[in-house]
Amino acid sequence: MIERRAGRCMTGRTEPRWYGARTTTLNPRDLSPAMDQPMLQSARIDETTISKRWALPLAALTVCVTAMLGLSGCGSSSGSSADVAAASEDAAVATTATNPDLARAEDLLERGDIAAALAEFERVIETNPEVTLAYLRAGDIYREQGEYDVAERRYANAARLEPGNFDAQYYHGLTLQLRSRRDDAVRAYLRALSIEPDDFHATLNLGTTFLQLGEPAQGLPYALRASELRPSDGAARVNLGATYAALDRHAEAVREYGVASELMTLGPELLINLAESQGQLGRFSEMEGTLRQVVRMAPSAEVWERLGS
């Protein structure tokens, strides 16, 4: 599932923000909150597997490990996440204090006048194209309204102006991922992690992006790290299970799905993932029990066919 980074907004604020209508599923099967496109046979992930700040469904996880982009890992941050957040907040306050138009836009946003706030942020951008915060706020609004293409451009501008701004890099990666520009999303998430190496959401989304690219071997270190950062997060366990399954490490996949089932309710797609791994291990009675559970939740011809075989 792609999730918002809980308790954090663009400038290190502690309260969450929602701009516009809250969207729970990105569509065409929108990329799919845990990934995208229709889920195919060998490796399915349902809408709870990307870290979201939102949710995505996964395409087929074909194992084709290549030296993608020549990317190897993350850099190290020059400071703690708390330091980065505090510095970002201070910079935002200073920017707003010296720019009355931006302050007015922020006030409109706080009062819930989204359309007027967006128009004001765009006016700030037009009159002063060097104000990073205006791009970030406009990007937030467009993203929450589902206009990912415009949001991506706004975040790209923010990231260009302030390469060291974690939120600009993270949300740029997120919107690139939502637009299925996954190679570019990988780069953006890696830049975000070079600023805040232990950010859970960027780590989880990066692992998911590698899954979407059919490169689970490259995603495994990030899936493992996400589960270390939040051992009790069901989405992290699901992503790790899916990664193991894509690598034909089915015993580990079953273990992770089992842990996930204790932390969250597994939907039909995830249960089918679990059943497939159980079948690969020859644990057919367990597989049958899992599929019967799927039938009770969402009867389908496909599941009945599997039970019959």
Side-chain angles (χ1 to χ4, degrees):
M1 153 165 62
I2 298 183
E3 309 169 2
R4 286 180 66 86
R5 298 173 69 236
R8 174 88 184 267
C9 353
M10 288 286 110
T11 59
R13 297 170 184 263
T14 56
E15 78 280 3
R17 282 179 187 265
W18 277 107
Y19 306 133
R22 182 165 184 162
T23 304
T24 54
T25 336
L26 311 175
N27 190 242
R29 265 229 345 193
D30 251 88
L31 219 128
S32 133
M35 264 86 353
D36 106 76
Q37 280 17 295
M39 305 200 215
L40 305 182
Q41 283 89 316
S42 62
R44 304 172 183 229
I45 291 190
D46 88 345
E47 307 170 4
T48 54
T49 47
I50 271 194
S51 168
K52 197 182 159 195
R53 301 182 186 188
W54 310 47
L56 282 196
L58 250 188
L61 304 181
T62 305
V63 181
C64 58
V65 181
T66 61
M68 175 184 154
L69 309 177
L71 299 173
S72 58
C74 311
S76 60
S77 173
S78 59
S80 68
S81 296
D83 292 338
V84 173
S88 179
E89 177 71 11
D90 291 344
V93 170
T95 301
T96 304
T98 58
N99 189 319
D101 292 334
L102 186 60
R104 183 165 50 255
E106 288 276 77
D107 182 61
L108 289 166
L109 193 59
E110 292 293 341
R111 288 190 280 131
D113 193 342
I114 308 304
L118 178 58
E120 199 67 33
F121 285 127
E122 290 291 0
R123 194 166 75 83
V124 172
I125 290 169
E126 184 177 352
T127 57
N128 187 351
E130 303 299 311
V131 180
T132 304
L133 189 60
Y135 288 107
L136 288 173
R137 292 289 191 254
D140 287 348
I141 295 171
Y142 286 122
R143 176 172 55 84
E144 298 291 353
Q145 293 178 344
E147 297 183 53
Y148 306 126
D149 54 342
V150 186
E152 184 267 315
R153 292 196 296 273
R154 289 291 176 259
Y155 291 133
N157 286 328
R160 175 182 56 79
L161 288 169
E162 289 188 29
N165 185 306
F166 173 86
D167 288 312
Q169 299 293 356
Y170 172 85
Y171 283 103
H172 188 212
L174 178 63
T175 49
L176 287 166
Q177 187 177 12
L178 293 170
R179 298 186 65 204
S180 297
R181 290 175 53 187
R182 298 183 186 111
D183 287 358
D184 292 331
V186 164
R187 294 186 179 96
Y189 284 137
L190 286 171
R191 287 192 292 269
L193 286 170
S194 74
I195 300 164
E196 294 192 27
D198 291 334
D199 184 81
F200 168 75
H201 298 278
T203 302
L204 182 57
N205 282 6
L206 179 55
T208 299
T209 306
F210 278 120
L211 274 180
Q212 292 176 296
L213 285 164
E215 302 193 12
Q218 296 203 51
L220 181 59
Y222 300 102
L224 284 166
R225 181 58 181 151
S227 66
E228 290 170 359
L229 289 168
R230 291 195 186 175
S232 297
D233 187 275
R237 295 294 187 166
V238 165
N239 268 15
L240 182 54
T243 303
Y244 280 135
L247 292 168
D248 291 325
R249 294 170 60 173
H250 293 287
E252 291 152 301
V254 168
R255 181 194 68 211
E256 292 303 322
Y257 286 134
V259 173
S261 70
E262 297 175 0
L263 300 170
M264 61 187 288
T265 300
L266 299 187
E269 295 291 353
L270 289 179
L271 288 171
I272 289 175
N273 281 4
L274 171 58
E276 288 173 348
S277 287
Q278 290 168 334
Q280 290 293 326
L281 294 170
R283 293 158 59 171
F284 299 115
S285 61
E286 293 178 29
M287 177 182 179
E288 180 181 354
T290 301
L291 290 175
R292 289 191 181 281
Q293 189 177 347
V294 175
V295 167
R296 289 193 295 272
M297 297 173 68
S300 71
E302 177 190 2
V303 177
W304 281 112
E305 182 180 344
R306 290 175 185 232
L307 275 173
S309 63

